[in-house]
Amino acid sequence: EIVLTQSPGTLSLSPGERATLSCRASQSVSRSYLAWYQQRPGQAPRLLMYGASSRATGIPDRFRGSGSGTDFTLTISRLEPEDFAMYYCQHFGSSPPMYTFGQGTKLEMK
Amino acid sequence: EVQLVESGGGLVQPGSSLRLSCAASGFTFDDYPMHWVRQVPGKGLEWVSSISRRTDSVGYADSVKGRFTISRDNAKNSLYLQLNNVTAEDTALYYCAKGLGNYWYGSDFDYWGLGTLVTVSS
């Protein structure tokens, strides 16, 4: 079973700054099955990226996903106030077939 | 506009059963796989179960396998999760989510409902 470890646990930045969030898999995974979600307080999660680097519908281009193998990154180029939230990476593994989430990174306003 | 509305949650005793429902609208329901994901308040996300478009394929997390059953009624645009023999560890907010692709496996969750809270306590 693949384990996803996100870092840092908490990231404190200011609006306008660049955020870099990491998701590391316990073994090499297909980038086709790596996704990122944003969850604002009191809201349901929202799909940001799928296939590691494809933006979901309506996601602004300041969000960028990258990576391969065991290391994946979500970059937010210029933080807006609405970007301060929890972020989760997710992977689908086929043996056994199951979805796994990372523990999350909290992006908080400094 | 895609809408997913969960219902059926509540306070139940350990060992009991309940059925969660998810009413879908704004998209062609039987064209997409569907998922259930849960979240203990203040904690992370945990995938629970998924079902294919035509109900011919399903998947479950090990933590619920043998106790939970996912189903769907395409004629009613509805998704269900039957929870049996619940324990305190099943206490969570249960989200219904639409699959992005054609199959439940490898199909990310592109729309989510607001969730229904299940609390298991004596």
Side-chain angles (χ1 to χ4, degrees), chain A residues 4-110:
Chain A
L4 300 178
T5 301
Q6 294 186 240
S7 61
T10 302
L11 184 57
S12 299
L13 294 170
S14 300
E17 291 192 296
R18 178 188 187 94
T20 303
L21 287 67
S22 173
C23 176
R24 176 163 289 177
S26 56
Q27 57 187 278
S28 183
V29 301
S30 168
R31 66 194 316 271
S32 297
Y33 294 148
L34 196 288
W36 289 91
Y37 296 83
Q38 176 194 67
Q39 186 176 31
R40 296 170 177 150
Q43 296 187 17
R46 175 173 73 144
L47 178 66
L48 293 177
M49 315 292 302
Y50 61 95
S53 59
S54 296
R55 275 187 296 276
T57 302
I59 302 304
D61 60 7
R62 64 178 181 274
F63 289 88
R64 178 175 175 269
S66 62
S68 63
T70 60
D71 292 309
F72 296 87
T73 301
L74 177 70
T75 303
I76 311 171
S77 58
R78 296 171 309 280
L79 286 167
E80 299 286 344
E82 62 267 27
D83 298 336
F84 293 93
M86 283 293 293
Y87 290 83
Y88 296 95
C89 60
Q90 175 220 58
H91 173 259
F92 174 77
S94 57
S95 298
M98 63 180 293
Y99 291 91
T100 304
F101 288 92
Q103 83 281 14
T105 289
K106 181 179 182 181
L107 178 56
E108 66 176 22
M109 194 178 300
K110 184 186 289 185

Side-chain angles (χ1 to χ4, degrees), chain B residues 26-39:
Chain B
F27 64 102
T28 304
F29 185 69
D30 58 6
D31 275 354
Y32 298 94
M34 296 295 294
H35 310 278
W36 287 99
V37 178
R38 68 184 180 183
Q39 184 174 36

